[in-house]
Structures are given as structure tokens and as C-alpha cells.
Amino acid sequence: MSHFTRQHEVLYCEDVSLEDIAATHGTPTYVYSAASIDAAFNAYQRALQGRSHLICYAVKANSNLAILNRLAQQGAGFDVVSAGELERVLHAGGDAGKVVFSGVGKTRTELALALEKGIRCFNVESESELMQLAEVASALRKTAPVSIRINPDVDAGTHPYISTGLRENKFGVDATTARRLYRIARNTDALNPIGLDCHIGSQIMDVNPFLEAVDFLIAMIDDLRKEDILISHLDIGGGLGVSYEAAAPPIADYIAAVLDRLSALDVELVLEPGRSIVAMAGVLVTKVEHLKPTSHRNFAIVDAAMNDLLRPALYGAWQEICPVTPRSGEIVEWDVVGPVCETADFLGKARPLALAQGDLLSIMGAGAYGYSMSSNYNSRPRAAEVLVDGDSVHLIGQRESLETLWQRESIPTRRSQ
Ligand code: LLP
């Protein structure tokens, strides 16, 4: 069920009209529905009831403190990929003991920080990282809980930029290397191999690649058991797609299929969903600044751009664009573009809309990888973010001021001639 509905034609987020939000907070503004985030998280919780599990929300999808806090209060753990994400989670009230740390390039400083904070598990992606973790842990007189990220060489059938489980991708290690790393971990005092993990990609629309990966992991756990390496935590990553255009598998169906595969296995199941929790909970509200019909294409130039929402420019991603208040008039195909000086700066192409200057548009499914991938390109301040909860609107991310754009910069004083 969407929490973005029309009341008297106007688009609402829960009980608040997007028109009112734009009038109060300006545009472009990200608007998130609290009920929608809760519903997606609960769908995971419900589907996993009765099974030992931990849902580690992938912070990279949307790392706003208010959203992390809301999920933490519901018992979520977190999947982080940097010191910044770890500190954000802790700042938002998350529990370090429920954090898994993913990523191919963890630095010494990040490893030390995560060890000091006492995270649940390091998802290790290479021999070099494992050795570095052992060194850092031993210097701190700590034992690092370790999981090795397997690359199962499974085709997730998604965009090549967000496919991670193929041999040619930089992520994880193959089964032979994994076995070797587990032996090293077992024989190193500062390392405790407790888990096995994988993540094969994002926006995956078919459950089968997940099941293929799970089968691979089950076989690996059996192999390791023969060497007396006992895995108690199985992390199957994130990656479940959402319905931007075509229908994605429901969370409950995906989990049911996975649980069916794991019925004989006594391990805690860890998941790292990001998009499927927050994508459909957010929209980006933007205003039409100019209409520019030309002999070839019609451009609707809006006040949001690729720096606010990069997905269309980077992956050619399609996200629905709706008028906040539909108007009557001729429907024309518009390329909805931003003001940034790049031809890649589009939010949608050939969208049939009746538009006038000043109209508000809502870009749907913008709760994941929207704000979190935004930048200041073209010296554009980042958008505001609001969280709607019933009829309350909370400003959870202030629009950046122009001054903050150059706050970190300085002009060197010139030596006098
Ligand atoms: N775990 C790991 C190790 C990951 O790398 C990712 C996403 C996730 C979990 C969460 O995956 P999700 O459930 O959100 O699919 N910017 C791209 C998506 C990049 C995903 C990167 N890794 C986009 O906008 O489509």
C-alpha cells in the first residue's frame, strides 16, 4: 500500500499535502513517509518471525539520522560501509552490537574505530583486509568477529553498475580463497570466524538469483563444518528490488523462499536490505521553473537536478514523475531536466504531462539512493528533507545554505612581493 495518495486530486504523503510541504519548506524537498518505512521494516520482521534473525538496514540507501533512529527504535541493526556511516548510526541511537561492516576498502582507522565500538561482525572482502584486521585487533588486544564475503558468481540480472556477485566484480572472494581465509582466521588469535556473507547486487527483480546464492552459501557452510569451522551467522545481503516500473517480488515471498532453503540450517539469518525499506517511502518534490518546447523535444526545466537525484543520470533509471496537482490542458511529452550544465542532467524523458510554469512535480520512489547520493555539483545546496508522520511534518534535514558550500575552503594568503 502506498502512503502517497490523492485527496481531491492533490498528492498527499500520509495526511499532509505535498503542496503544503512545498509552500512551507520550498523546493526541491525530499518527503518521506514514516508509516511507509515502518511497514516495509515490519514486513521483514513478520516474515522472519520464529527464526533467529537480524535485519541490518543498509545505511547507504538513506542515512538521515531521523530514519536511522526510527529503525533503531524498532530493533534494526545496520550495515555500514564507512566510519561516517558507523558514527551516524551511533549518533542516531543505533546499537554497535547490531552493526555489520561491509565494503572492499576499509582503512586501518575504520577497522580500529569499529573494534573500539564493538560491532557485531566485519564482512571481510580480501586477504589483505583480513591480515590488516588481525594486526589492528591484536594491537588493540581485541578479537575481531569475522565473516568472509563470498562472491558466488551469480548473475543478478540487474544494471551492471549495481551487480556485485559476478567473478569480474571487485566484491568478495571465491570459494577456494574463502576456505583459505577461514583457516587463517581460525588460526589467528585476534580473529574469530563466526559468519559467512554475500551480496549479489541491488534492484534484483527475481528471487532465483538470491536462492542460487543461498545454495552456494549452504554448501560452503557444510564444507567449513568438515574442517571444524562452525558458522553461526549467515548474512545474505540486501538487494531486493522495488516496483519503480515493473512489479518486484513482495518482501514476504522473498523471505519465505529463502527460509524454505534454510530450514535445516541452524544459523542466525542476517539481511542487509536498503532500497526495499526506504525507496517507496520517499518522493522528491520539485517546481517547474521554465517550459522550453523546441522543434525536437519539449523540456520542462525543474529546480531539482542530477546533483539531487543521480539515479536517472548514472543508471538511466526510470522513476515515475507525477504532477502534485494535476491540471487540465494539452498532454505533451516532456523531458524533465534540471538546471545543471550536463546533458545527463535529466530526471525523466518523454513523460506525458500537462504542465505550466510554477507547477509542482513529485518524483516517486526517491527514498533510497536519492538524498544519500546527492552532491553540491554546480554549487547547488542540497535539498531539504522532511518526514511526515500522520499529520505531523518534521524537518529532518535543513536545506543547505549557500555559505556552507564554501565553509571548508580557504584562500591562501599570498606572500608579499
Ligand atoms: N549490502 C551491501 C554490501 C551493499 O553493497 C548494498 C548496496 C546493500 C547491502 C543494500 O542493497 P539494497 O537492498 O539497497 O539493494 N545506488 C544504486 C544502488 C547501489 C547499491 C549498492 N550496494 C541505485 O541507486 O540503484
Side-chain angles (χ1 to χ4, degrees):
M1 180 194 109
S2 174
H3 292 84
F4 294 88
T5 53
R6 291 206 179 267
Q7 299 186 20
H8 309 292
E9 304 245 301
V10 179
L11 197 56
Y12 272 61
C13 175
E14 301 192 22
D15 301 331
V16 185
S17 95
L18 296 184
E19 267 182 1
D20 287 351
I21 291 176
T24 310
H25 297 284
T27 53
T29 292
Y30 276 97
V31 181
Y32 308 122
S33 153
S36 174
I37 297 170
D38 295 353
F41 185 74
N42 290 334
Y44 275 103
Q45 292 282 47
R46 251 197 325 275
L48 286 157
Q49 234 167 31
R51 168 100 206 185
S52 156
H53 72 274
L54 181 63
I55 303 164
C56 291
Y57 166 70
V59 172
K60 63 172 79 68
N62 187 322
S63 51
N64 186 287
L65 291 181
I67 289 175
L68 300 182
N69 173 265
R70 193 159 185 110
L71 290 167
Q73 282 182 359
Q74 294 175 62
F78 297 92
D79 166 49
V80 303
V81 293
S82 67
E85 286 192 351
L86 174 57
E87 291 286 17
R88 248 179 199 285
V89 163
L90 300 178
H91 195 69
D95 174 357
K98 292 185 178 174
V99 168
V100 297
F101 196 160
S102 300
V104 293
K106 305 176 195 79
T107 64
R108 240 169 227 287
T109 319
E110 287 178 321
L111 295 174
L113 175 75
L115 281 162
E116 298 282 10
K117 300 293 182 190
I119 66 162
R120 189 184 205 86
C121 198
F122 291 85
N123 291 348
V124 170
E125 304 226 16
S126 63
E127 178 167 358
S128 164
E129 182 190 338
L130 189 70
M131 301 324 263
Q132 182 155 301
L133 179 58
E135 257 177 60
V136 176
S138 125
L140 293 171
R141 300 190 187 291
K142 303 238 181 223
T143 305
V146 168
S147 165
I148 305 291
R149 177 167 174 178
I150 302 286
N151 182 326
D153 195 24
V154 164
D155 185 357
T158 185
H159 189 285
Y161 288 6
I162 53 175
S163 188
T164 54
L166 286 170
R167 250 193 322 229
E168 62 257 39
N169 300 142
K170 68 179 173 183
F171 300 98
V173 297
D174 62 37
T176 313
T177 310
R179 275 190 285 273
R180 193 161 52 74
L181 298 191
Y182 276 108
R183 284 180 212 124
I184 296 175
R186 181 188 48 198
N187 299 333
T188 307
D189 283 344
L191 302 176
N192 183 17
I194 58 160
L196 179 62
D197 68 283
C198 90
H199 170 77
I200 57 171
S202 194
Q203 185 57 6
I204 301 170
M205 301 298 274
D206 174 7
V207 174
N208 287 312
F210 290 115
L211 299 182
E212 224 182 292
V214 166
D215 286 343
F216 196 96
L217 297 175
I218 295 173
M220 186 80 207
I221 290 180
D222 278 345
D223 269 13
L224 292 172
R225 191 179 296 130
K226 288 180 199 133
E227 299 192 39
D228 271 339
I229 298 167
L230 302 180
I231 298 301
S232 59
H233 142 149
L234 176 65
D235 178 348
I236 62 170
L240 182 65
V242 298
S243 308
Y244 293 112
E245 202 167 5
I251 291 170
D253 293 4
Y254 157 61
I255 295 294
V258 168
L259 290 183
D260 186 48
R261 286 298 216 274
L262 293 179
S263 55
L265 207 62
D266 181 25
V267 288
E268 176 185 52
L269 179 61
V270 179
L271 295 118
E272 302 170 359
R275 190 193 311 267
S276 49
I277 295 201
V278 287
M280 291 303 158
V283 302
L284 175 59
V285 180
T286 182
K287 189 173 83 197
V288 176
E289 290 290 346
H290 302 287
L291 292 178
K292 183 175 175 180
T294 74
S295 55
H296 281 78
R297 327 257 322 169
N298 299 311
F299 298 104
I301 302 162
V302 298
D303 64 0
M306 65 188 286
N307 74 294
D308 299 300
L309 180 66
L310 185 59
R311 302 192 66 255
L314 188 58
Y315 317 112
W318 186 95
Q319 294 184 213
E320 190 181 1
I321 302 180
C322 302
V324 168
T325 308
R327 64 169 56 253
S328 50
E330 194 193 354
I331 294 194
V332 176
E333 286 199 343
W334 294 99
D335 283 1
V336 179
V337 303
V340 164
C341 303
E342 300 248 3
T343 300
D345 181 26
F346 67 91
L347 299 167
K349 289 199 170 157
R351 301 303 175 89
L353 294 162
L355 289 183
Q357 191 174 29
D359 280 1
L360 293 172
L361 293 174
S362 174
I363 304 167
M364 311 306 285
Y369 306 111
Y371 187 89
S372 65
M373 292 178 81
S374 65
S375 76
N376 290 127
Y377 188 38
N378 277 206
S379 283
R380 289 170 49 82
R382 263 175 277 231
E385 297 177 282
V386 303
L387 180 68
V388 175
D389 191 355
D391 58 6
S392 335
V393 180
H394 307 277
L395 179 63
I396 61 168
Q398 246 173 51
R399 185 178 311 288
E400 260 177 330
S401 68
L402 291 182
E403 291 72 30
T404 55
L405 296 178
W406 52 81
Q407 219 167 36
R408 305 160 17 262
E409 301 169 25
S410 51
I411 302 170
T413 43
R414 296 178 87 191
R415 251 184 289 156
S416 47
Q417 309 280 317

